[in-house]
Amino acid sequence: MKNVLVIFYSQSGQLESIAKNIAKPFLNSEEINVIFHEIQLEKPFPFPWNKDSFFDAFPESFLQIPTKLKPVSDEVLNTKFDLILFHYQVWFLSPSIPINSFLKSTEAKTILNNTPVITINGSRNMWIMAQEKIKVLLRDVNAKLVGNIALVDRVGNLISVITIVNWMFSGVKKRYLGFFPLPGVSDKDIQESDKFGEIILSQFKQNKLDDLQPKLAEIGAVKISPYLVTVDKTANKIFNKWSNLIHKNQKNRKTLLKIFYVYLFLAIWLISPIVYILHLITYPFKFKTIKKETQYYQGV
């Protein structure tokens, strides 16, 4: 009997649905024991969010500052796992605080040590640099990354800003104003995500996890937008300055967060369209670099 651990943190329930659907083939196998672990915080973040609490999470999210978690069960701590399916979200271009906190915990060092891990993220659209940060955290706990799946909101960047914000602040997944598309990863993509589980299970049974990622990529597990990669990298540099400024000036935290909110609003609605136009103009001159980056980010 082989043991598989499914780790996730989910406020809205979206990532929990993804986790359960990808795990379906494993749950249907009599040869595999599947255990689910939901990361829980000592002091949970609110859901739905309000504007103040949402932006107050920015500095610590980006700087990957951990918070206290509820203890992991003895069942999880005392089981040696043959594979871990690790699900996470992106908060402010970094792994979410609960995910970051878990990966920096002593429990993670025990659970993930010398164990194959497949990362699965459910995010709005920018996840590339967060995944690079996840790679570092996994190396720190001696885990072996063997696969990656990125499930994202497929609508345009600016439209998804509107729909996701409405979802996060209302707590209800609905069509904003009655005609905007539904926010988040589509129900179709979530329901069909068990196809990734089938591929993972097949490779797992054959002890061929080292060959897994190309097979996942072939069926659409990782789709790369060169434009969003550029935005992600640029925004990381800017967020680094803002997060450090705010975190180091606690007396002026509320004021600085208000200024950051204004900056972010202008960056999204004024600067990002300009960046997109520049990306289209320069694309032919960066084709080889983009192709090389795409191959890298589709791998592990």
Side-chain angles (χ1 to χ4, degrees):
M1 181 72 73
K2 291 189 174 183
N3 296 307
V4 173
L5 177 63
V6 179
I7 299 175
F8 68 95
Y9 169 80
S10 184
Q11 285 184 305
S12 67
Q14 174 178 270
L15 204 57
E16 182 177 4
S17 295
I18 291 171
K20 289 179 177 178
N21 274 280
I22 290 180
K24 274 183 183 178
F26 290 87
L27 292 168
N28 293 332
S29 174
E30 296 180 356
E31 306 168 13
I32 298 173
N33 174 42
V34 180
I35 297 175
F36 286 81
H37 171 64
E38 181 178 6
I39 297 170
Q40 296 183 327
L41 283 70
E42 286 285 353
K43 185 180 179 181
F45 286 99
F47 189 81
W49 297 80
N50 58 51
K51 191 174 80 170
D52 288 342
S53 60
F54 182 80
F55 283 98
D56 191 56
F58 160 64
E60 288 71 28
S61 293
F62 186 82
L63 295 174
Q64 298 177 258
I65 297 173
T67 190
K68 291 184 179 180
L69 304 176
K70 290 186 177 180
V72 177
S73 70
D74 290 339
E75 179 186 25
V76 172
L77 282 175
N78 297 328
T79 301
K80 175 55 184 173
F81 293 99
D82 302 286
L83 176 65
I84 294 175
L85 305 180
F86 190 85
H87 302 72
Y88 76 95
Q89 312 96 334
V90 178
W91 288 8
F92 295 104
L93 308 182
S94 286
S96 71
I97 291 177
I99 291 299
N100 170 67
S101 300
F102 174 79
L103 287 175
K104 290 185 174 181
S105 69
T106 55
E107 289 88 349
K109 291 179 180 178
T110 299
I111 298 165
L112 279 74
N113 180 49
N114 197 31
T115 305
V117 174
I118 297 166
T119 50
I120 300 112
N121 81 77
S123 55
R124 186 174 74 86
N125 55 22
M126 280 186 277
W127 57 270
I128 291 291
M129 297 310 294
Q131 179 67 8
E132 292 301 295
K133 296 169 189 178
I134 285 282
K135 289 178 183 179
V136 173
L137 293 170
L138 289 176
R139 284 197 294 268
D140 288 345
V141 294
N142 196 36
K144 183 181 180 183
L145 180 62
V146 296
N148 179 47
I149 298 168
L151 295 173
V152 301
D153 191 330
R154 292 177 180 267
V155 305
N157 185 42
L158 296 181
I159 292 176
S160 70
V161 170
I162 297 170
T163 58
I164 292 290
V165 167
N166 179 257
W167 183 18
M168 294 300 100
F169 289 2
S170 71
V172 180
K173 188 174 184 177
K174 61 183 179 181
R175 293 183 182 276
Y176 180 56
L177 299 179
F179 63 85
F180 276 88
L182 283 171
V185 180
S186 72
D187 291 341
K188 182 175 184 292
D189 284 348
I190 293 174
Q191 293 300 319
E192 293 180 355
S193 63
D194 59 344
K195 67 183 179 183
F196 302 123
E198 295 284 359
I199 295 291
I200 297 168
L201 178 61
S202 175
Q203 295 297 109
F204 180 56
K205 285 184 174 180
Q206 298 176 66
N207 294 315
K208 292 183 177 180
L209 288 175
D210 288 340
D211 302 325
L212 172 64
Q213 189 59 24
K215 295 184 181 297
L216 288 175
E218 284 177 7
I219 59 170
V222 182
K223 295 181 180 179
I224 306 297
S225 164
Y227 161 65
L228 291 176
V229 171
T230 300
V231 175
D232 198 344
K233 289 181 176 180
T234 303
N236 261 266
K237 295 176 183 177
I238 297 169
F239 276 20
N240 183 54
K241 294 178 181 179
W242 272 106
S243 58
N244 276 291
L245 174 65
I246 296 168
H247 186 67
K248 292 176 181 177
N249 291 272
Q250 292 297 324
K251 289 183 178 179
N252 300 314
R253 183 182 179 102
K254 289 184 178 180
T255 300
L256 289 170
L257 282 170
K258 289 178 180 178
I259 298 172
F260 172 71
Y261 165 74
V262 174
Y263 164 79
L264 190 60
F265 180 88
L266 294 174
I268 290 171
W269 296 104
L270 295 179
I271 299 175
S272 67
I274 295 172
V275 173
Y276 182 66
I277 293 170
L278 291 174
H279 168 74
L280 293 177
I281 294 172
T282 60
Y283 182 86
F285 306 102
K286 299 187 297 182
F287 181 76
K288 288 185 178 179
T289 300
I290 289 172
K291 184 177 180 181
K292 186 177 180 180
E293 283 188 342
T294 298
Q295 289 175 342
Y296 170 75
Y297 292 126
Q298 283 184 328
V300 292

